[in-house]
Amino acid sequence: NTTGAIMVSRGFTTTAKGQSRSIPEVPADFKGSMPEYVVFNQLLRFGLRPNQDFQFQARFAGGKIEKGGLVIDFLFNNPPGLAINVQGVYYHYEQGSVNIANDLLAREILAGEGISLIFLDEDDIMNNPTFYVREALNFKDYSKFSIGR
């Protein structure tokens, strides 16, 4: 996890170390954030297929319509028993304890169903999507929520 600012503009990311790398432009019809699109794109590069190997923005237990329902960023059929949520710095970490508690509760709810919820931090995704998405597909969590971080 890199500390420091990350700037995104016109399809390029500049990390705190001053490195630039090309990132995909988010299509106007994509129903997610820039980091979610980066993960989605990386899953495609790994040969995974939407609606077959994984569902994007999957409703779980009724989604946000039902009390206690969840929307999971990525819910997998292949590999089974895996879900990934992208943790944006602003919304998931800087907006306070309620969002953090909700994220951890989501992990517990899914664990009760035999599903491991792996969190991917926005700054990690934007710096090295190949590594962090591959690790998440192997059920490894490097997020700020992971034990020992």
Side-chain angles (χ1 to χ4, degrees), residues 11 21 26 38 43 61 79 88 116 121 149:
R21 82 175 47 85
V26 179
V38 170
L43 293 171
S116 296
D121 289 342
R149 185 148 190 195

Side-chain angles (χ1 to χ4, degrees), residues 25-36:
E25 293 286 332
V26 179
D29 62 344
F30 185 76
K31 304 293 186 216
S33 66
M34 166 68 80
E36 289 167 344

Side-chain angles (χ1 to χ4, degrees), residues 76-139:
F76 291 83
N77 299 320
N78 177 29
L82 176 66
I84 293 174
N85 267 4
V86 174
Q87 301 299 102
V89 173
Y90 177 76
Y91 181 80
H92 290 277
Y93 293 118
E94 294 178 358
Q95 289 299 300
S97 59
V98 172
N99 287 350
I100 292 170
N102 287 338
D103 290 335
L104 295 174
L105 181 60
R107 179 178 268 172
E108 293 303 315
I109 290 168
L110 290 174
E113 298 294 324
I115 300 170
S116 296
L117 177 57
I118 303 299
F119 295 115
L120 287 175
D121 289 342
E122 174 183 11
D123 49 353
D124 291 335
I125 294 164
M126 300 308 287
N127 283 312
N128 193 342
T130 302
F131 174 79
Y132 287 102
V133 173
R134 181 179 296 122
E135 291 293 289
L137 290 171
N138 287 306
F139 295 81

